[in-house]
Amino acid sequence: MKLTIGNLHVQDVCLGSENSFKDGILTIDKEAAIAYLKEEDDHITDLDIVIARPGDDTRIVPVIETIEPRVRMDGRCLFPGVTGDLVPAGDGDLKAFKGCCVTVVGKEWGSFGDGVIDMGGEGAKQTYWSKLINICLVGDTDEEFERHEQQKCNHALRWAGHRFAEYIGKTAKELEPEEVETYEFDPILKRDEARKDLPNVAIVLQPQSQMEALGYNDLLYGWDMNRYLPSFLSPTEIFDGCIISGSFMPASSKWSTWEFQNFPTIKEMFKYDGIEYNFVGVIMSNLNVALDQKERSCVISCNIAKNLGVDYAIITEEGYGNPDADYVRMQVIFEDAGIPVVGISNESDGRDGFGQPLVTLDEKMNANVSTGNVGELCELPACATVIGNLEAMNRDGMSGSWGYDEILGKSARDDGSILMEDNNWFCGDHISGLCLKTMLEY
């Protein structure tokens, strides 16, 4: 499979009366975009588009999703089984607007999986999103059935974000890209002889699928991953929109759709493919709740690895807490099969940093990369501008903030300053490989 991504680098985004890209300036027809998105889903009651730029004294909350604007050159939808027909992904030509993202924001209401982005100041250091121009799609819906639920599907707004990314991406279709990324993934059984002496390396992804109720989990080709069994995928499928982010999981631990589209760890594996090792692809697993479901996924994933002849594996999870059981078990079953593992996850060490990092541990886990502690407290001053609703931090059960604490008070204070856990930064631990943090031993 061969996937090419032609990149156009966005220097600024403006709202106007046309859709165009010229001299690095992306112009979006605001009225036409809003009309299109409302026409596609009559559950949307209110929509606005607001631009937030790197360095702005702006806080965005509650953030629901981020997506990279792209277009398929063959006219196929960007997210098969979600924004269009269920068709194959991973092969063909794309164009992408780099340096920006569609950021879906609740105008009034947040939920457990929603987070915070700061575009300037100390808070900007906490997420990669502050480096991008955020094209904020700020909205509300008539989904009253979940209005006051801590955990929301946020279906209408999430789907609007994916459609909006397609809408913007179409502007690039006839333009000449500034650079082209090429990812070639040759059939495993038809690779050249030069590779036969290289070690075989695979990556095991464990996307979020804990919710037994459908509509909250990551979707693979439009299929809820709670109802999914592990399978083998080409890494080019991941880049090409075969999977989208769900609404469940504490915000800092999530993989947004933008991160799936650009998965840095997979890109790094391509970089040395055929040189230092033979990259044999993605084993796509999941993260379920019941122990037999966890064991089943681990057994199937390990058997796929053995049949592929995997010598070494990277295993990474989207989440922490209950999913740690899947993450640890997956490492142990691979190690028991003679396949050494490097794990990538964040930790939950408590606010003082001295707690047990994962819910369960095993001595066979001897090579793990940490991307941050979800419990670490962060206190920041007010920002001049808030996109969304700061009160969501106090009212709506977001994963790293609270409405009242007898010692700390409330997370979003009356003066606009905030106190919250790392948990609340949107995808802030960037387990996909974007992580901006470093480790300090003392």
Side-chain angles (χ1 to χ4, degrees):
M1 301 179 82
K2 181 179 179 180
L3 184 71
T4 69
I5 306 173
N7 295 327
L8 297 104
H9 293 276
V10 177
Q11 305 302 319
D12 199 5
V13 178
C14 299
L15 302 176
S17 57
E18 64 173 5
N19 296 313
S20 65
F21 182 71
K22 185 178 181 181
D23 298 329
I25 309 299
L26 175 63
T27 301
I28 300 168
D29 187 334
K30 178 177 176 177
E31 290 187 9
I34 290 174
Y36 161 70
L37 295 170
K38 283 187 172 182
E39 183 179 337
E40 288 293 309
D41 193 334
D42 58 12
H43 290 291
I44 297 172
T45 58
D46 195 358
L47 270 186
D48 195 11
I49 301 170
V50 184
I51 309 302
R53 299 173 176 84
D56 285 354
D57 190 12
T58 296
R59 180 162 291 142
I60 311 172
V61 58
V63 178
I64 296 169
E65 169 72 298
T66 58
I67 313 111
E68 184 167 82
R70 293 180 170 186
V71 64
R72 283 279 309 198
M73 300 307 293
D74 58 7
R76 193 212 75 190
C77 68
L78 207 54
F79 303 106
V82 177
T83 55
D85 293 340
L86 182 54
V87 292
D91 221 358
D93 303 310
L94 287 162
K95 287 181 184 174
F97 282 121
K98 294 294 182 181
C100 66
C101 61
V102 169
T103 302
V104 182
V105 186
K107 180 180 179 181
E108 296 291 342
W109 304 93
S111 75
F112 181 69
D114 301 343
V116 178
I117 296 171
D118 273 10
M119 297 302 295
E122 287 297 308
K125 299 176 182 179
Q126 299 293 327
T127 74
Y128 183 79
W129 316 119
S130 63
K131 298 177 180 293
L132 305 177
I133 299 170
N134 284 239
I135 307 168
C136 299
L137 186 66
V138 187
D140 202 359
T141 76
D142 66 1
E143 295 163 312
E144 296 292 338
F145 70 94
E146 63 178 13
R147 178 74 73 210
H148 301 290
E149 295 292 332
Q150 181 183 23
Q151 182 57 53
K152 297 178 177 65
C153 289
N154 280 324
H155 182 277
L157 289 179
R158 288 195 293 127
W159 259 242
H162 298 128
R163 293 189 184 106
F164 190 33
E166 283 190 332
Y167 176 89
I168 295 170
K170 289 176 181 177
T171 304
K173 189 165 187 179
E174 304 303 325
L175 302 177
E176 191 68 26
E178 299 166 48
E179 64 184 19
V180 177
E181 299 176 48
T182 301
Y183 299 97
E184 293 191 57
F185 188 73
D186 296 330
I188 301 296
L189 299 179
K190 295 184 179 181
R191 297 194 168 180
D192 59 65
E193 286 294 308
R195 289 174 174 263
K196 69 178 183 179
D197 293 326
L198 295 174
N200 295 323
V201 179
I203 184 168
V204 181
L205 301 185
Q206 296 178 296
Q208 185 51 235
S209 60
Q210 282 184 280
M211 292 293 285
E212 296 287 345
L214 303 183
Y216 302 88
N217 301 303
D218 294 0
L219 300 181
L220 183 69
Y221 286 103
W223 186 257
D224 194 299
M225 296 197 73
N226 185 267
R227 301 293 191 269
Y228 166 83
L229 292 173
S231 62
F232 167 82
L233 292 178
S234 164
T236 59
E237 293 176 85
I238 310 299
F239 295 157
D240 194 22
C242 79
I243 184 169
I244 67 165
S245 179
S247 66
F248 181 73
M249 189 29 56
S252 73
S253 304
K254 290 177 71 166
W255 289 332
S256 77
T257 298
W258 191 102
E259 289 189 272
F260 281 122
Q261 292 172 295
N262 292 277
F263 217 94
T265 302
I266 297 178
K267 286 189 175 183
E268 192 73 8
M269 296 181 77
F270 265 114
K271 189 181 296 184
Y272 299 99
D273 179 34
I275 302 170
E276 296 185 5
Y277 47 75
N278 188 29
F279 182 22
V280 296
V282 176
I283 299 172
M284 181 67 78
S285 187
N286 57 0
L287 296 166
N288 283 356
V289 177
L291 287 176
D292 65 326
Q293 296 170 351
K294 296 175 186 291
E295 186 68 16
R296 184 178 297 111
S297 290
C298 291
V299 166
I300 294 172
S301 297
C302 189
N303 283 344
I304 292 171
K306 288 191 287 187
N307 282 291
L308 286 173
V310 172
D311 297 304
Y312 300 93
I314 294 174
I315 296 174
T316 182
E317 65 167 334
E318 181 188 5
Y320 76 95
N322 182 287
D324 290 344
D326 309 65
Y327 174 63
V328 171
R329 178 59 184 145
M330 189 73 79
Q331 292 195 47
V332 170
I333 199 170
F334 270 62
E335 292 281 353
D336 285 345
I339 304 172
V341 170
V342 173
I344 306 174
S345 73
N346 60 6
E347 306 175 31
S348 180
D349 303 312
R351 291 175 179 173
D352 62 3
F354 287 96
Q356 179 172 304
L358 303 174
V359 166
T360 182
L361 295 168
D362 192 285
E363 62 185 8
K364 294 174 183 176
M365 299 170 60
N366 56 19
N368 283 269
V369 178
S370 170
T371 64
N373 172 22
V374 302
E376 187 172 335
L377 283 174
C378 184
E379 186 171 10
L380 291 164
C383 290
T385 300
V386 173
I387 298 174
N389 183 9
L390 204 61
E391 182 59 24
M393 294 178 63
N394 296 334
R395 182 193 59 211
D396 297 334
M398 292 173 63
S399 52
S401 55
W402 51 88
Y404 173 75
D405 182 281
E406 61 182 12
I407 298 174
L408 300 175
K410 58 186 179 181
S411 282
R413 297 160 174 162
D414 295 339
D415 64 359
S417 63
I418 60 172
L419 176 65
M420 65 182 195
E421 294 179 344
D422 171 89
N423 248 329
N424 244 32
W425 293 113
F426 185 72
C427 300
D429 291 334
H430 291 302
I431 304 169
S432 65
L434 281 173
C435 189
L436 309 176
K437 300 172 184 176
T438 58
M439 298 290 287
L440 177 65
E441 183 174 354
Y442 58 91

